[in-house]
Amino acid sequence: MASIKDVARLAGVSVATVSRAIAIPEKVSEKTLKKVNDAVALSGYRPNLLARNFRSSRSFCIVVMVPDITNPFFSQVIKAIEDRAQQRGYAVLLGDTRDQNSREQEYVHRVETRLADGLIQLRPNEIHVDGDPLPIVYACGCENVPNCSVTIDNTLAAKKVVDYLVSLGHTRIGCLTGLRENPHSMERLAGYRQALEAAGLEYSEQYVSEGDFTLGSGQDAAKKIMCQAKPPTALFCMSDQMAMGAIQALQAQGVQIPQQVSIVGFDNIAYAEFWHPTITTVSQPAEEMGKRAVDMLVSIIEGKEFTHESKILPTQLIVRDSSGAAPKDPA
Amino acid sequence: MASIKDVARLAGVSVATVSRAIAIPEKVSEKTLKKVNDAVALSGYRPNLLARNFRSSRSFCIVVMVPDITNPFFSQVIKAIEDRAQQRGYAVLLGDTRDQNSREQEYVHRVETRLADGLIQLRPNEIHVDGDPLPIVYACGCENVPNCSVTIDNTLAAKKVVDYLVSLGHTRIGCLTGLRENPHSMERLAGYRQALEAAGLEYSEQYVSEGDFTLGSGQDAAKKIMCQAKPPTALFCMSDQMAMGAIQALQAQGVQIPQQVSIVGFDNIAYAEFWHPTITTVSQPAEEMGKRAVDMLVSIIEGKEFTHESKILPTQLIVRDSSGAAPKDPA
DNA sequence: CTGTTAGCGCGTTCAA
DNA sequence: TTGAACGCGCTAACAG
């Protein structure tokens, strides 16, 4: 593989001139520029960016850590991140961490060892890093993180969902959560409780069923929560995938949706509006969060200012066909 | 940030000894090893892998180029790739190329400039690279590529689908393709034609409608193909997403599936078995292709042998509820 | 405008 | 077992 030396020899100039001709062509005479360009073309020279990065102590690479890339919501965010990062001159290293701390640490390590300039954390958990602070931005997470973050108000969003269900006349409102220790679950559950309280409805653990945001867990949680004496007439599901699972499981039992049970999801993934029935859900600004996270991270990396700025983006309740008025005489 | 020099000074040894203590601790006396380890801990030293990579001319990073990360099939493959790559000591650079050659070239460039050791191409198109050949493996693509590849027999898979529909008594079988110039479309269309011919059915452009593998395009293509005098009683869709769109669009028009029209998809993405109705489809071994692609690529990178090995993995027709016997008196 | 020199942090000689 | 010296490819400082 041709190196800068070969080009210099071929062009009959010094390596410094070649370097300049490539980086700042306007500071090189027309004649030598041509010689260099010819030599580059002739030798098929490609600058060794490994060397350049080493010299500049920069990798122009950012890590994005995600619990599960196959979750459509995350893949949407990641697409936006990749797009923006590319525009800003950065490549994206994919860290599918499967919610495992050990995997996260490996990627954090890449930043510590300079293989990446910074990191975007999509999992709503704080990253533990001993030693110097790293350029980290949290996206799609929760509010109470020490670093920069761009997220939504999960509590408020959940509250709006339950308010809406209450306005439809529902009084027995169930909740399908992610893992209970997940910050998203906790914040949204808080919103759920607040809304119940505001409506004068009692909170009961009977009406809360734990899943893990996946479709399969939505099926299981829905089945479990519905087999009791006075089952809910509405279910607030903390992800669209769980809502899909819930709908599927209930329909399989012959339950009419929304006539007998209303279902509301969260995320507004692309499939939500094509499901049968179409799913009422909370829309998160996925692209916007991805783009902003990149911009924040890049400004930290390039400015080296560790701000604590935290941006809360608005959500929107999208009403579709999976929710409706409470049944007159619930089972 | 502490460098190897700092550690050497702190431990009262040379940098070479520090380097050795870290890379090959058994070749260092117990006493100095301890001194070095203490110094490392004290200084919070992290080896600068940028420097190490530069020295070894390796980045331990592979690029995966994908047309669209939000396509669930691809995200499944990528998850497998990330997992395997991590095991093998490589990180994955995400290249969402949106089917644009210019974006592809940027990522190819990263390999040429050593920022990545190799590349996995998920788009079924050949990569043009002038200059020295690069470590490239094609996955989920087609058969006729010059490099290593791991893929399926698209023609055969499509043929099996149509054979199956014929066996159900369908004689007017439509086809919803991806972009016509897409190699997947071409190979699967060939299989479609072969099966028609084998069954003594005539091929007609009237029964072929172009989309781009997305759900929305499936809706449009389905609507278009169904509004003719003798519409198909079965549709072979070249992706599950198009099948979902087709089902959605036809149901919206009051068409019963599969009683009036049978629908078959391709890919067997996770949602296919939860759709309403559940979708008959061709299962591709997504994880297997991802894992194998990584293994092939790593062996090329580390062995530097550019084999032309090409592995064809089997597919499976999964019959579900979206397909059934041809109607007795089609509209 | 151009060439010479030096050094980024590391791994690898070669001697001691 | 250890240390001194070198060089990977590139860019920045300085001198010419």
Side-chain angles (χ1 to χ4, degrees):
Chain A
M1 189 58 173
S3 90
I4 198 170
K5 267 190 200 162
D6 303 311
V7 178
R9 200 177 319 115
L10 221 58
V13 298
S14 74
V15 291
T17 302
V18 176
S19 177
R20 268 190 297 260
I22 291 168
I24 30 176
E26 63 274 17
K27 299 212 75 179
V28 160
S29 82
E30 200 132 335
K31 215 188 312 175
T32 52
L33 185 58
K34 181 169 163 27
K35 283 196 293 187
V36 170
N37 284 338
D38 289 350
V40 166
L42 189 63
S43 62
Y45 169 70
R46 295 258 174 263
N48 181 340
L49 296 191
L50 234 37
R52 182 180 293 175
N53 286 352
F54 162 57
R55 180 128 208 316
S56 61
S57 272
R58 308 262 282 96
S59 66
F60 294 98
C61 198
I62 62 177
V63 172
V64 46
M65 296 207 304
V66 57
D68 177 14
I69 178 76
T70 65
N71 178 325
F73 173 71
F74 286 128
S75 62
Q76 212 179 333
V77 177
I78 288 181
K79 193 182 182 86
I81 288 177
E82 197 267 357
D83 191 50
R84 187 60 154 219
Q86 175 101 350
Q87 283 175 24
R88 300 289 232 114
Y90 288 79
V92 172
L93 223 57
L94 180 66
D96 190 312
T97 58
R98 293 150 197 240
D99 272 332
Q100 291 168 22
N101 286 317
S102 61
R103 277 181 176 255
E104 284 200 359
Q105 284 307 314
E106 292 190 50
Y107 283 103
V108 170
H109 195 239
R110 289 190 86 86
V111 182
E112 291 175 332
T113 54
R114 317 292 184 78
L115 289 184
D117 293 333
L119 191 153
I120 295 176
Q121 161 77 308
L122 259 36
R123 185 189 181 201
N125 289 76
E126 208 174 314
I127 297 170
H128 173 71
V129 32
D130 41 25
D132 299 338
L134 265 24
I136 295 179
V137 168
Y138 292 81
C140 315
C142 295
E143 299 169 47
N144 305 317
V145 286
N147 290 67
C148 263
S149 68
V150 46
T151 179
I152 58 163
D153 187 334
N154 283 282
T155 308
L156 179 64
K159 193 166 174 305
K160 285 198 294 191
V161 168
V162 179
D163 285 347
Y164 160 74
L165 289 170
V166 167
S167 79
L168 289 174
H170 293 278
T171 54
R172 304 204 312 254
I173 300 171
C175 185
L176 269 47
T177 73
L179 290 177
R180 290 297 280 268
E181 69 265 28
N182 182 295
H184 281 150
S185 299
M186 295 195 287
E187 294 198 352
R188 293 173 194 171
L189 195 61
Y192 166 78
R193 295 189 70 153
Q194 283 176 23
L196 287 188
E197 193 172 347
L201 298 171
E202 203 173 333
Y203 170 83
S204 161
E205 280 290 337
Q206 294 280 99
Y207 284 175
V208 178
S209 187
E210 184 180 20
D212 62 3
F213 296 117
T214 64
L215 203 151
S217 79
Q219 293 181 306
D220 297 341
K223 279 185 218 153
K224 198 171 134 218
I225 206 173
M226 295 305 289
C227 66
Q228 50 185 302
K230 283 181 171 290
T233 61
L235 292 179
F236 164 42
C237 308
M238 291 193 182
S239 77
D240 285 340
Q241 307 206 76
M242 290 186 77
M244 292 173 179
I247 290 173
Q248 219 274 341
L250 296 191
Q251 282 176 339
Q253 296 179 353
V255 176
Q256 299 282 320
I257 293 169
Q259 292 79 0
Q260 293 174 266
V261 177
S262 285
I263 306 276
V264 179
F266 207 104
D267 293 341
N268 192 28
I269 63 176
Y271 296 106
E273 69 173 303
F274 297 105
W275 207 255
H276 184 86
T278 60
I279 300 176
T280 297
T281 189
V282 174
S283 170
Q284 294 202 58
E287 285 86 6
E288 183 70 16
M289 283 197 283
K291 283 193 194 313
R292 285 205 192 222
V294 172
D295 287 340
M296 286 168 121
L297 184 60
V298 169
S299 71
I300 291 175
I301 290 171
E302 297 181 350
K304 284 294 172 208
E305 287 174 41
F306 286 79
T307 65
H308 288 219
E309 185 189 359
S310 135
K311 186 73 192 170
I312 310 280
L313 263 30
T315 58
Q316 199 185 346
L317 180 69
I318 313 248
V319 176
R320 298 206 184 94
D321 301 335
S322 67
S323 58
K328 292 276 161 31
D329 50 345
Chain B
M1 190 57 173
S3 92
I4 198 170
K5 268 188 200 162
D6 303 312
V7 178
R9 200 178 320 116
L10 221 59
V13 298
S14 73
V15 292
T17 302
V18 176
S19 177
R20 267 191 297 261
I22 291 168
I24 30 176
E26 62 273 19
K27 299 212 73 178
V28 160
S29 81
E30 198 132 338
K31 216 188 307 174
T32 53
L33 185 58
K34 180 170 166 24
K35 281 195 293 186
V36 170
N37 285 338
D38 289 349
V40 165
L42 189 62
S43 61
Y45 169 71
R46 296 256 173 264
N48 181 340
L49 296 191
L50 234 37
R52 183 179 293 175
N53 286 352
F54 163 57
R55 178 108 209 328
S56 61
S57 272
R58 307 262 283 98
S59 66
F60 295 98
C61 198
I62 63 176
V63 172
V64 47
M65 296 207 304
V66 56
D68 177 14
I69 178 78
T70 65
N71 178 322
F73 173 70
F74 286 128
S75 62
Q76 212 181 334
V77 176
I78 288 181
K79 193 182 181 87
I81 288 177
E82 197 267 356
D83 191 49
R84 188 58 154 221
Q86 174 100 352
Q87 284 174 24
R88 298 291 232 112
Y90 288 79
V92 172
L93 224 57
L94 180 66
D96 189 312
T97 58
R98 291 148 199 241
D99 272 332
Q100 291 169 20
N101 286 315
S102 60
R103 277 181 176 256
E104 284 199 0
Q105 283 308 313
E106 292 191 51
Y107 283 104
V108 170
H109 195 237
R110 290 190 85 86
V111 182
E112 291 175 332
T113 56
R114 318 292 183 77
L115 290 184
D117 294 332
L119 191 154
I120 295 176
Q121 163 76 311
L122 259 36
R123 186 190 181 201
N125 289 75
E126 208 176 312
I127 296 170
H128 173 72
V129 32
D130 40 27
D132 299 338
L134 266 24
I136 294 180
V137 168
Y138 292 81
C140 315
C142 294
E143 299 168 48
N144 304 316
V145 287
N147 292 66
C148 264
S149 68
V150 46
T151 179
I152 59 163
D153 187 333
N154 283 281
T155 308
L156 179 63
K159 193 166 174 307
K160 285 197 295 191
V161 168
V162 180
D163 284 347
Y164 159 73
L165 290 170
V166 167
S167 79
L168 289 174
H170 293 276
T171 54
R172 305 204 312 254
I173 300 171
C175 184
L176 269 47
T177 73
L179 289 177
R180 291 297 280 267
E181 69 264 28
N182 182 294
H184 281 150
S185 299
M186 296 195 286
E187 294 197 352
R188 293 173 194 171
L189 195 60
Y192 166 78
R193 295 188 70 153
Q194 283 175 23
L196 288 187
E197 193 172 346
L201 297 170
E202 202 174 334
Y203 170 83
S204 161
E205 281 289 337
Q206 294 280 98
Y207 284 176
V208 178
S209 188
E210 184 180 21
D212 63 3
F213 296 118
T214 63
L215 202 150
S217 79
Q219 294 181 306
D220 297 341
K223 281 184 218 154
K224 196 170 135 219
I225 207 173
M226 295 306 288
C227 64
Q228 50 184 302
K230 283 180 171 293
T233 61
L235 292 179
F236 163 43
C237 307
M238 290 193 182
S239 76
D240 285 340
Q241 307 207 74
M242 290 186 77
M244 292 173 179
I247 290 173
Q248 218 273 342
L250 297 192
Q251 282 176 339
Q253 296 180 353
V255 176
Q256 299 280 321
I257 294 170
Q259 292 79 2
Q260 293 174 265
V261 177
S262 286
I263 306 277
V264 179
F266 206 103
D267 291 343
N268 192 28
I269 63 177
Y271 297 105
E273 70 172 302
F274 297 105
W275 206 255
H276 184 85
T278 60
I279 301 175
T280 297
T281 190
V282 173
S283 169
Q284 294 202 58
E287 285 85 6
E288 182 70 14
M289 284 197 283
K291 283 193 194 312
R292 286 206 191 220
V294 171
D295 287 340
M296 286 169 122
L297 185 59
V298 169
S299 72
I300 290 174
I301 290 171
E302 297 181 351
K304 285 294 171 207
E305 287 176 42
F306 286 80
T307 65
H308 287 220
E309 185 190 359
S310 136
K311 185 74 193 171
I312 311 279
L313 264 31
T315 58
Q316 199 185 345
L317 180 69
I318 313 250
V319 176
R320 299 207 182 95
D321 300 336
S322 66
S323 59
K328 293 274 162 32
D329 50 344

